[in-house]
């Protein structure tokens, strides 16, 4: 019996989360399109007792994009393959609400959910990069607040479609010839400002009812959206203090929408660099840090500001005042970067290198990193973490084989056999079909 069952997932970004992880000798240099690499990482995570794997995505690239983004698998296609090569681990994929259609996405995630026995999760994003619009016939890239308004309707449509069939609608009676009960099929009849969808969806609900809704909004609008719609919330807060504030804000937003704190789990990104000693971990950090040149770092920094060109400014002068550049892209991230650059009076060089290879409190010995994770859990900064290894390979194995056993010994991790569905393993309730629920309301 554990004291606190820390929830853990792993974000698989090819060779790793560092922009130049592909240069590391202990991972395949083609990891982003190497199915055996994804299977290997996923099966190790499953064996170690992690709750889910997470595949991120984006819809616009250019010459300065992170190498992994230039040549990678589409999430749902990849997750469908991993569903057949894993047994218990959750399967979470990113899909944009701004550049897709609700009916198609509802059907694809419902299919993945049934293929995997109730292990699917959808990471809902609104897509930050302005130039994405040039790849789709949808006009200009919508403003930040408008994207969230659209997403709110989108999620409502998808949830309605997922409930098209009551759980016992398909009777398949060979003797009578009845395949389904017609009164248990429902149309969503959605008429909104941005979407008009009739339904029903041509696939039944899974054993977890609906895929788990993941979300990662950190702006004021994003937090409100997460509080209303999200169930597992991914965030990139770098300090325990900022994570505590975010944790409280999202949980409060959930309560304001008639939900409870337990309806949402908060999962900050965890990018550990570990070793048997602090010195060994520091040496590993120094090795990873040298995967980037200053030009790489400037390009990486520029991506958050909608691929803004920072090379036009002197490297060793204070971080430039660029006004509202990037405000319609990664809004909360760009605000954070500008804030710490100003508060610490950093140069452009210092900001770029810090953003490209962050140095944080999860770098150190196995014991130190385990204790820091426990601190975040105990101080209500997290309910768990999304593991984002800077580089997969030796570091990944070291974390799974050395840090997790310490957490388990201290009563914060449980590597017992998993339950059948992602919802159950994250401690989330299985939602009742909304149409069945309506039928139960007394008249």
């Amino acid at each position: 019996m554990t004291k606190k069952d820390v929830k853990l997932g792993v974000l698989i970004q090819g060779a790793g989360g560092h922009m130049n992880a592909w240069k590391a000798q202990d991972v395949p240099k083609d990891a982003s399109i190497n199915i055996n690499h994804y299977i290997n990482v996923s099966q190790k995570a499953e064996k170690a007792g992690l709750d889910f794997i997470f595949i991120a995505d984006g819809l616009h690239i250019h010459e300065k994009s992170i190498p992994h983004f230039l040549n990678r698998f589409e999430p749902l296609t990849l997750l469908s393959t991993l569903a057949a090569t894993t047994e218990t681990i959750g399967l979470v994929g990113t899909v944009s609400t701004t550049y897709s259609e609700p009916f198609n996405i509802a059907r694809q995630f419902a299919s993945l959910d049934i293929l995997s026995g109730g292990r699917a999760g959808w990471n809902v994003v609104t897509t930050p990069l302005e130039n994405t619009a040039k790849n789709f016939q949808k006009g200009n890239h919508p403003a930040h607040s408008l994207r969230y308004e659209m997403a709110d309707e989108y999620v409502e449509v998808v949830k309605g479609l997922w409930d098209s069939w009551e759980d016992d609608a398909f009777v398949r009676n060979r003797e009578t010839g009845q395949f389904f009960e017609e009164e248990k099929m429902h149309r969503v009849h959605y008429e909104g400002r941005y979407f008009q969808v009739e339904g029903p969806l041509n696939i039944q609900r899974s054993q977890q009812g609906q895929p788990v809704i993941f979300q990662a909004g950190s702006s004021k609008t994003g937090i409100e959206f997460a509080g209303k719609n999200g169930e597992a919330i991914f965030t990139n807060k770098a300090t325990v203090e900022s994570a505590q504030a975010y944790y409280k804000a999202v949980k409060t937003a959930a309560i304001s929408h008639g939900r409870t704190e337990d309806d949402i789990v908060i999962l900050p990104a965890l990018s550990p660099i570990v070793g048997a000693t602090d010195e060994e971990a520091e040496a590993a950090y120094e090795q990873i840090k040298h995967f980037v040149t200053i030009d790489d770092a400037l390009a990486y920094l520029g991506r958050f500001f909608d691929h803004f060109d920072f090379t036009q400014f002197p490297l060793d002068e204070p971080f430039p005042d660029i006004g509202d550049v990037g405000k319609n892209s990664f809004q909360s991230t760009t605000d954070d970067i500008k804030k710490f650059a100003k508060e610490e009076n950093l140069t452009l060089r210092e900001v770029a290198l810090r953003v490209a290879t962050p140095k944080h409190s999860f770098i150190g010995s196995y014991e130190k990193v385990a204790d820091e994770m426990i601190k975040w859990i105990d101080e209500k900064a997290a309910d768990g973490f999304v593991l984002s290894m800077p580089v997969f390979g030796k570091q990944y194995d070291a974390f799974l084989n050395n840090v997790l056993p310490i957490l388990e010994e201290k009563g914060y991790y449980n590597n017992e056999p998993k339950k059948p569905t992602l919802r159950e393993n994250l401690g989330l309730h299985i939602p009742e079909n909304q149409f069945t629920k309506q039928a139960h309301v007394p008249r």
Side-chain angles (χ1 to χ4, degrees):
M1 189 73 178
T2 58
K3 180 179 179 182
K4 291 192 179 180
D5 187 11
V6 175
K7 310 303 178 188
L8 280 178
V10 58
L11 173 62
I12 312 178
Q13 300 189 81
H18 189 278
M19 68 171 296
N20 281 336
W22 66 275
K23 292 182 179 180
Q25 296 295 318
D26 55 343
V27 286
K29 59 185 178 182
D30 67 343
S32 296
I33 53 162
N34 186 321
I35 188 59
N36 290 325
H37 168 72
Y38 280 92
I39 291 171
N40 180 47
V41 172
S42 300
Q43 290 181 342
K44 283 182 177 179
E46 184 169 71
K47 184 178 179 181
L50 270 63
D51 297 297
F52 60 89
I53 58 175
F54 187 115
I55 307 297
D57 197 29
L59 301 170
H60 167 71
I61 60 169
H62 75 10
E63 294 82 354
K64 298 291 187 181
S65 295
I66 296 169
H68 168 63
F69 292 178
L70 296 171
N71 186 18
R72 57 174 165 173
F73 291 124
E74 184 279 321
L76 281 163
T77 308
L78 174 59
L79 290 168
S80 294
T81 299
L82 297 177
T85 57
T86 57
E87 296 179 358
T88 60
I89 198 163
L91 306 163
V92 182
T94 296
V95 172
S96 169
T97 54
T98 308
Y99 296 103
S100 63
E101 290 293 330
F103 188 93
N104 291 340
I105 298 311
R107 187 184 187 196
Q108 288 173 300
F109 272 106
S111 297
L112 176 64
D113 213 16
I114 292 172
L115 283 170
S116 63
R119 295 188 280 140
W122 171 27
N123 179 40
V124 178
V125 299
T126 65
T127 298
L129 296 176
E130 292 266 1
N131 284 328
T132 305
K134 296 178 181 178
N135 291 331
F136 298 87
Q137 298 182 46
K138 293 197 173 209
N140 294 329
H141 188 61
H144 183 270
S145 58
L146 178 56
R147 296 201 305 271
Y148 275 102
E149 286 180 25
M150 295 167 64
D152 200 49
E153 280 196 13
Y154 194 115
V155 171
E156 190 175 349
V157 173
V158 169
K159 286 185 173 182
L161 289 170
W162 281 338
D163 284 349
S164 293
W165 300 93
E166 296 184 35
D167 293 333
D168 56 352
F170 292 99
V171 295
R172 301 182 181 88
N173 190 320
R174 285 174 171 166
E175 284 70 34
T176 65
Q178 183 183 24
F179 189 72
F180 73 101
E181 295 183 19
E182 189 170 337
E183 67 274 14
K184 295 184 179 181
M185 179 186 79
H186 304 279
R187 290 176 172 82
V188 68
H189 295 301
Y190 192 89
E191 293 287 339
R193 180 179 177 187
Y194 308 104
F195 300 101
Q196 296 79 45
V197 179
E198 174 73 7
L201 193 65
N202 52 347
I203 190 166
Q204 67 183 55
R205 276 165 51 105
S206 78
Q207 65 195 80
Q208 71 168 349
Q210 296 183 355
V212 176
I213 298 291
F214 280 67
Q215 216 275 318
S218 291
S219 65
K220 184 177 179 180
T221 305
I223 288 171
E224 189 65 19
F225 180 85
K228 180 180 178 182
N229 299 296
E231 296 175 293
I233 312 301
F234 176 51
T235 178
N236 272 307
K237 299 304 177 185
T239 66
V240 67
E241 293 81 13
S242 62
Q244 284 173 321
Y246 181 79
Y247 185 100
K248 183 178 180 180
V250 174
K251 298 276 187 175
T252 300
I255 292 170
S256 74
H257 285 284
R259 307 172 72 195
T260 72
E261 288 193 4
D262 294 335
D263 290 332
I264 290 183
V265 291
I266 310 294
L267 307 169
L270 172 66
S271 300
I273 299 176
V274 298
T277 64
D278 288 345
E279 292 74 21
E280 188 177 303
E282 184 68 26
Y285 170 79
E286 289 297 320
Q287 183 180 27
I288 292 169
K289 187 173 75 173
H290 287 95
F291 287 157
V292 295
T293 64
I294 186 59
D295 289 337
D296 291 333
L298 289 171
Y300 186 84
L301 173 68
R303 173 180 171 268
F304 293 110
F305 295 85
D306 203 28
H307 291 294
F308 182 73
D309 181 13
F310 280 99
T311 62
Q312 61 189 291
F313 298 102
L315 283 170
D316 297 309
E317 292 184 10
F319 187 78
D321 181 358
I322 56 174
D324 287 336
V325 171
K327 193 171 183 63
N328 199 28
S329 296
F330 294 90
Q331 187 178 101
S332 61
T333 301
T334 56
D335 286 347
D336 285 345
I337 291 171
K338 288 185 285 189
K339 184 174 183 288
F340 76 67
K342 183 177 181 180
E343 288 178 349
E344 300 178 39
N345 194 29
L346 300 178
T347 65
L348 174 58
R349 184 193 300 274
E350 290 169 329
V351 171
L353 291 173
R354 178 187 295 192
V355 171
T357 310
K359 193 165 188 181
H360 47 69
S361 55
F362 294 105
I363 298 174
S365 69
Y366 307 134
E367 189 84 24
K368 177 182 176 182
V369 170
D371 286 344
E372 187 68 16
M373 292 173 68
I374 289 170
K375 176 182 177 181
W376 281 48
I377 296 296
D378 283 350
E379 297 185 7
K380 291 193 173 183
D383 295 312
F385 300 91
V386 178
L387 185 62
S388 178
M389 297 301 305
V391 179
F392 285 104
K394 294 176 183 176
Q395 276 288 310
Y396 182 52
D397 293 342
F399 179 87
L400 297 181
N401 296 334
N402 296 284
V403 177
L404 294 188
I406 294 173
L407 291 175
E408 190 165 16
E409 181 182 341
K410 295 188 176 187
Y412 282 79
Y413 187 67
N414 186 349
N415 192 15
E416 294 176 359
K418 290 293 180 183
K419 295 176 181 176
T421 70
L422 176 57
R423 286 186 173 279
E424 291 173 284
N425 288 318
L426 291 178
L428 301 169
H429 74 280
I430 294 178
E432 186 179 5
N433 185 302
Q434 61 185 275
F435 298 108
T436 306
K437 191 174 182 179
Q438 289 173 9
H440 291 167
V441 175
R443 298 188 180 184

